[in-house]
Amino acid sequence: MNLPDPKLNPHLEAALQRMRSAADQAAERSAEGMGVAALSATQVRRRDALLAAQFLFRRQLPVFSQQFIHTLREQVLREMAPREPVAGTGAKAVELTLMDDAAVDDIVTGDRVGLAIGHQCEWELREVDAYIGSLVAASAVPPERNPLRPEVVGRALLAAVRAVTEEADARQILIDELARALSLEMRGCYADIVDIFRNRGVQAQDLRVRTRNEAGARAGGDEVTGHGDLASGQGSGYGAGAHGGGGGRGGGGGGGGDFSGQTIGAVDAQVMSLLRRLSFMPSGALGFDQGAAWNQSEMSAAYDMHAHDGEAGVRSLMAPNLIRVHRDELRQAAGAPLDHMVIDVVGSLFDQILSDPKVPPQIARLVARLQLPVLRVALGDVSFFSSRRHPVRRFVNRIASLGAAFDDFEEDPGREFLAQVSALVEEVAEGDFDHMDVYESKLDALEAFIGHQSEAAIRAQGNLPEMLARKEMDLRLQQRYQQQLQTGLASITLPEFLRGFLTQVWNQAVILAARQGGDASEQTQRFRLLGRDLVMSVQPKGNSVQRQAFLAQLPKLMKTLTEGADLIAWPEPARKQFFGDLLPAHADSLKGQSLTALDQNLLIKQLDAVFLAPLPRQEDMAHSGPISLPQDLDVDQHFSSAEASQAGLVDESKVDWQGEVDIDLSADAPLQAVDIKLEGLPAPEPMEPMSGASLMDHLQLGSAYQMHTDGKWLKVRLGHISPGRGFFLFTHGAKHQETLTMTARMLKRMCETDRLKAFENAYLLERATARARKQLAELTAQTRH
């Protein structure tokens, strides 16, 4: 075969250099290992052979390194070279090449080394496969398999050892030691290659179905038929494909990559065919109705029949663990040991999911319908076990979290929620669950539904969302006007108490007057001019004319100040403090040298430019972007007594912040990432907080929380978040719901003092993983005993 010009894609060239580095490190480790082995050898002949091989290898290290990378590049070029199509089916269609025993031994030895390497890094190889697929996707005839696969590395290693020595015993020692050392190095090497591709901007490619028509009838390929079956994924070929977007190694910034528009990695065609067959089996064989969820009357009748058994009786109606029931069939269809492990792990997860006490039985039954789709995803997508932002994980977890917030599914809104989730689950289970877009669209539909349902429940109690939105808009406008005043007054010499009053207090009165009467109203104009008059009132007045003018203006000034303070309900202690500072400032202004006429006119002109500048408007906020409200902003004073009562505003001053919080005996201990780490699977990303100060940034609409109020724990449901996250509205109670509204400041303190916690100590899949891990550890301990 004629090789192409020996130039590789620069991304592949970078990968080869990393593999050369791994080989050099393995060579150094092998040289040291042969010396250690020689010291512990019990036979003189063996010791001498090891020492001789070590001495020879150290002298020939440069030759080994050079030959390894040369052969590796040659092998990769050969893998990337176009293949001539096989024409015809007769005896002359295929050219046979006779090989001697030595050549056959080399192939067998190289494959044996490759198997040893591949056994150590199956997950990393799946990720490399996905990126290699992207690199060669544009080729006219892409390679059949990953050109960087372990078998290619094994052959390069064998050729490099041959370049070092032709002596059989020494060569065998070097092959054994180098294969052992290189198999340990290649796991990190493949992981680094994934990072190299990702950092260079290479996008992982999901492996799609390739039928004979689509693939151009590849030589030796079988046509893939059936409902969505994917191309075979045996060995280390592309069939072991991986999902991109951060992969299974924690990439993707803040908990996972961008999964939109991607397909799920391929699995073996036999496995996919079996999954489809199980998914469409008659309902009696599976234990639940495939067509739709039970209707309410059927469910109620079943509950009545099992009422004497309590929750255990209800859970007996749940669907069986199909993965456990059909475990042998699934393992037989999946040839790879790694797939066997995934099947067992997912089966164990659903054992725990179906018995989770935090999940209502009605919801557990619906989640059970997702067993086969989840298994299909786990087999083809290495990021499923590690990325907490994975759409399939989020879909399952969100269903469980939302379901836990309802106490009654026989009446709305619980009955309405159950029907919606049932429809979404059935669309996944009976549809095309090979594409990530399916899960993302269902997750979006679920979020849209819960948002609409929560908003409808809140509106049934009045116009709370509109009132909170208006309050928040006032606060945002005041914040914007505060920045405007601070910038304008920065160059003007003022007493600090007066600067703080104008920018942080009086700005509220101006904005509120403008909202009530408009920018051109008489009250708004008086409030805006007061800022200028107040600054001028503390300026020095050196003659009697100026003093008389000040004294004549003072009553009107104080009246306007009082009017504005009343409008914003400024607390009395703060008023006394301000007027206590203003009185001495006015007294001092009656002394000293007054400003010149020019300086006074310039100052008045400068103040007019500040206080008569256009006010920020609500229409402008959408164009310039909202100002996020400080979480420590005290906004309780902006509510009247009637508004606070209507919203159920929690009074911060009535909470005993120094008091001890009772322990919630129903709560489980929080989980950590180490609790959900399964041996042999990718390390999971850090878990989302379920308590503490950071919980506030992870609150989800419709989810249930435990709130400590009035000396007891109360189960509440988050029903509304204002657009700027300034107000959070919770509901509690079944038939007669009550509302509790918290400002961002109040909620922050509640989280920091552990007075607000998530109802779940972790999401459903994380809880199931932790219990499965614990169960496995107990079984292992019993086996050892």
Side-chain angles (χ1 to χ4, degrees):
M1 178 185 298
N2 294 325
L3 295 180
D5 183 58
K7 291 182 180 179
L8 278 175
N9 180 294
H11 306 309
L12 287 176
E13 188 65 47
L16 290 185
Q17 293 305 317
R18 177 60 184 90
M19 297 176 84
R20 178 177 185 172
S21 174
D24 291 343
Q25 294 173 8
E28 290 290 344
R29 180 181 296 181
S30 299
E32 295 177 1
M34 284 184 283
V36 174
L39 294 176
S40 60
T42 58
Q43 298 180 355
V44 175
R45 180 179 178 183
R46 175 64 176 172
R47 183 179 70 247
D48 291 345
L50 287 168
L51 291 175
Q54 182 192 38
F55 177 75
L56 174 65
F57 189 58
R58 285 195 179 277
R59 291 179 55 192
Q60 298 293 326
L61 274 177
V63 175
F64 170 83
S65 178
Q66 183 177 1
Q67 185 62 41
F68 176 83
I69 190 62
H70 173 75
T71 306
L72 183 61
R73 180 178 286 106
E74 189 178 66
Q75 291 277 342
V76 172
L77 285 168
R78 183 175 291 110
E79 291 286 334
M80 298 290 291
R83 284 150 174 77
E84 297 179 2
V86 178
T89 57
K92 296 182 180 180
V94 181
E95 179 183 354
L96 300 179
T97 303
L98 296 178
M99 295 183 291
D100 56 19
D101 292 341
V104 173
D105 289 343
D106 286 349
I107 293 177
V108 173
T109 303
D111 289 345
R112 179 171 60 84
V113 174
L115 287 175
I117 295 173
H119 181 70
Q120 296 290 332
C121 45
E122 288 187 79
W123 281 111
E124 289 75 14
L125 271 171
R126 293 195 176 196
E127 287 193 272
V128 173
D129 287 342
Y131 284 94
I132 291 294
S134 177
L135 287 176
V136 303
S139 302
V141 184
E144 294 286 345
R145 292 183 292 173
N146 180 358
L148 303 180
R149 66 186 183 276
E151 292 93 328
V152 175
V153 178
R155 294 169 194 164
L157 177 68
L158 184 62
V161 170
R162 281 195 174 277
V164 171
T165 178
E166 288 294 334
E167 202 276 318
D169 291 340
R171 190 168 64 241
Q172 189 59 50
I173 290 174
L174 291 178
I175 291 174
D176 292 341
E177 293 293 333
L178 286 167
R180 187 179 303 110
L182 191 57
S183 64
L184 298 176
E185 292 288 340
M186 287 306 295
R187 183 174 186 178
C189 176
Y190 280 128
D192 289 344
I193 288 174
V194 170
D195 289 337
I196 289 172
F197 289 156
R198 186 181 296 126
N199 293 335
R200 285 169 165 257
V202 180
Q203 297 294 323
Q205 182 188 57
D206 291 307
L207 305 172
R208 303 171 184 266
V209 178
R210 293 185 66 93
T211 63
R212 181 175 298 275
N213 293 334
E214 293 170 337
R218 277 191 180 184
D222 295 328
E223 183 174 359
V224 181
T225 59
H227 186 77
D229 291 348
L230 296 178
S232 176
Q234 298 288 352
S236 59
Y238 286 157
H243 187 283
R249 301 180 61 252
D258 180 12
F259 295 90
S260 60
Q262 298 187 9
T263 56
I264 305 170
V267 299
D268 188 271
Q270 293 181 351
V271 176
M272 196 63 207
S273 178
L274 177 58
L275 291 177
R276 286 295 183 188
R277 180 167 59 83
L278 294 176
S279 180
F280 286 93
M281 284 179 65
S283 59
L286 293 177
F288 52 87
D289 182 9
Q290 286 284 336
W294 288 348
N295 60 40
Q296 197 62 35
S297 61
E298 291 172 330
M299 187 73 78
S300 300
Y303 290 161
D304 294 339
M305 181 176 62
H306 292 267
H308 63 281
D309 293 329
E311 183 173 301
V314 174
R315 288 190 179 276
S316 68
L317 301 173
M318 294 299 105
N321 187 332
L322 297 181
I323 301 173
R324 187 72 67 195
V325 172
H326 299 279
R327 175 177 179 271
D328 293 340
E329 295 178 72
L330 290 167
R331 287 172 62 91
Q332 184 178 0
L338 183 60
D339 291 339
H340 293 174
M341 180 180 67
V342 170
I343 292 170
D344 290 339
V345 167
V346 177
S348 298
L349 289 182
F350 273 96
D351 279 340
Q352 305 302 328
I353 288 173
L354 298 179
S355 61
D356 194 307
K358 288 283 187 181
V359 182
Q362 301 92 325
I363 299 299
R365 183 174 179 273
L366 293 178
V367 173
R369 286 288 285 121
L370 297 173
Q371 293 178 69
L372 300 178
V374 168
L375 177 60
R376 185 265 175 273
V377 172
L379 287 169
D381 190 346
V382 297
S383 66
F384 172 78
F385 292 103
S386 60
S387 175
R388 58 183 173 85
R389 299 300 300 167
H390 194 284
V392 180
R393 293 186 71 92
R394 290 166 56 205
F395 184 56
V396 174
N397 286 336
R398 193 70 169 122
I399 290 174
S401 297
L402 291 172
F406 292 96
D407 298 319
D408 184 8
F409 292 97
E410 295 186 4
E411 295 183 2
D412 289 339
R415 178 173 55 189
E416 184 184 24
F417 171 78
L418 194 65
Q420 176 68 17
V421 173
S422 176
L424 293 175
V425 167
E426 291 303 319
E427 289 174 8
V428 171
E430 294 190 347
D432 181 9
F433 50 73
D434 292 336
H435 294 265
M436 201 67 73
D437 286 344
V438 172
Y439 298 94
E440 291 184 329
S441 64
K442 302 310 175 192
L443 183 60
D444 291 342
L446 181 61
E447 295 292 357
F449 170 81
I450 205 65
H452 174 76
Q453 187 186 58
S454 300
E455 203 73 10
I458 297 299
R459 290 184 184 279
Q461 304 181 47
N463 60 340
L464 292 183
E466 288 81 359
M467 184 185 73
L468 295 179
R470 186 180 69 249
K471 293 289 185 184
E472 188 172 71
M473 179 55 67
D474 288 345
L475 291 170
R476 291 170 59 192
L477 290 172
Q478 291 166 10
Q479 290 288 306
R480 179 66 61 85
Y481 191 42
Q482 176 180 336
Q483 293 180 355
Q484 182 177 319
L485 291 177
Q486 287 175 341
T487 302
L489 295 175
S491 60
I492 299 176
T493 303
L494 282 175
E496 286 306 314
F497 83 92
L498 186 56
R499 187 188 306 274
F501 170 78
L502 291 172
T503 58
Q504 299 176 21
V505 178
W506 197 248
N507 68 317
Q508 302 176 28
V510 174
I511 293 297
L512 190 54
R515 181 170 66 80
Q516 292 181 350
D519 293 1
S521 69
E522 184 272 337
Q523 185 184 50
T524 304
Q525 292 301 315
R526 282 193 296 110
F527 282 9
R528 297 176 71 180
L529 290 174
L530 179 123
R532 180 196 66 187
D533 297 340
L534 195 57
V535 172
M536 295 304 298
S537 71
V538 298
Q539 300 303 315
K541 305 167 184 63
N543 56 63
S544 59
V545 176
Q546 292 177 337
R547 296 189 189 102
Q548 290 176 358
F550 164 71
L551 293 175
Q553 184 189 21
L554 187 58
K556 182 180 178 181
L557 187 72
M558 299 305 290
K559 180 182 178 181
T560 305
L561 277 173
T562 303
E563 182 183 350
D566 291 341
L567 181 64
I568 63 174
W570 198 26
E572 191 63 31
R575 294 194 200 193
K576 291 182 178 180
Q577 178 65 42
F578 171 72
F579 287 121
D581 293 333
L582 182 61
L583 182 60
H586 281 164
D588 291 340
S589 71
L590 301 177
K591 308 171 186 177
Q593 184 68 35
S594 62
L595 299 175
T596 65
L598 178 60
D599 290 340
Q600 185 173 1
N601 291 334
L602 289 176
L603 179 58
I604 292 176
K605 185 177 181 180
Q606 190 175 2
L607 292 173
D608 284 342
V610 173
F611 291 107
L612 297 181
L615 297 176
R617 298 182 304 169
Q618 181 175 339
E619 296 78 12
D620 300 332
M621 303 296 283
H623 301 290
S624 57
I627 298 177
S628 58
L629 297 176
Q631 292 182 349
D632 293 330
L633 187 63
D634 184 7
V635 299
D636 290 8
Q637 60 185 0
H638 296 273
F639 285 80
S640 65
S641 298
E643 290 174 334
S645 177
Q646 178 189 0
L649 186 67
V650 180
D651 191 346
E652 194 172 342
S653 63
K654 294 183 179 180
V655 178
D656 182 11
W657 298 107
Q658 303 302 322
E660 294 292 332
V661 178
D662 294 337
I663 298 176
D664 183 8
L665 299 178
S666 65
D668 298 322
L671 299 181
Q672 305 295 329
V674 66
D675 297 320
I676 60 173
K677 173 66 176 75
L678 295 175
E679 190 65 30
L681 295 176
E685 295 176 353
M687 298 175 59
E688 293 187 11
M690 295 293 170
S691 62
S694 55
L695 172 63
M696 182 173 177
D697 297 325
H698 295 82
L699 295 175
Q700 289 188 301
L701 193 68
S703 293
Y705 297 89
Q706 295 280 17
M707 181 184 296
H708 191 266
T709 178
D710 295 332
K712 62 180 182 296
W713 287 99
L714 185 69
K715 182 182 178 182
V716 297
R717 183 170 181 252
L718 181 58
H720 177 77
I721 303 176
S722 62
R725 296 182 67 85
F727 299 98
F728 298 79
L729 199 154
F730 296 86
T731 61
H732 66 95
K735 294 185 178 180
H736 303 287
Q737 288 193 349
E738 298 181 11
T739 59
L740 292 173
T741 299
M742 291 190 183
T743 64
R745 170 190 168 108
M746 176 68 177
L747 185 61
K748 180 182 178 182
R749 295 191 66 181
M750 293 285 286
C751 293
E752 290 174 343
T753 57
D754 285 334
R755 286 173 167 81
L756 185 76
K757 301 179 181 180
F759 182 73
E760 306 167 295
N761 68 321
Y763 291 127
L764 175 61
L765 283 173
E766 283 72 15
R767 298 197 304 270
T769 303
R771 289 198 298 271
R773 181 177 181 270
K774 183 178 180 181
Q775 185 181 52
L776 178 61
E778 293 174 351
L779 292 175
T780 303
Q782 293 175 4
T783 303
R784 290 175 180 174
H785 289 302

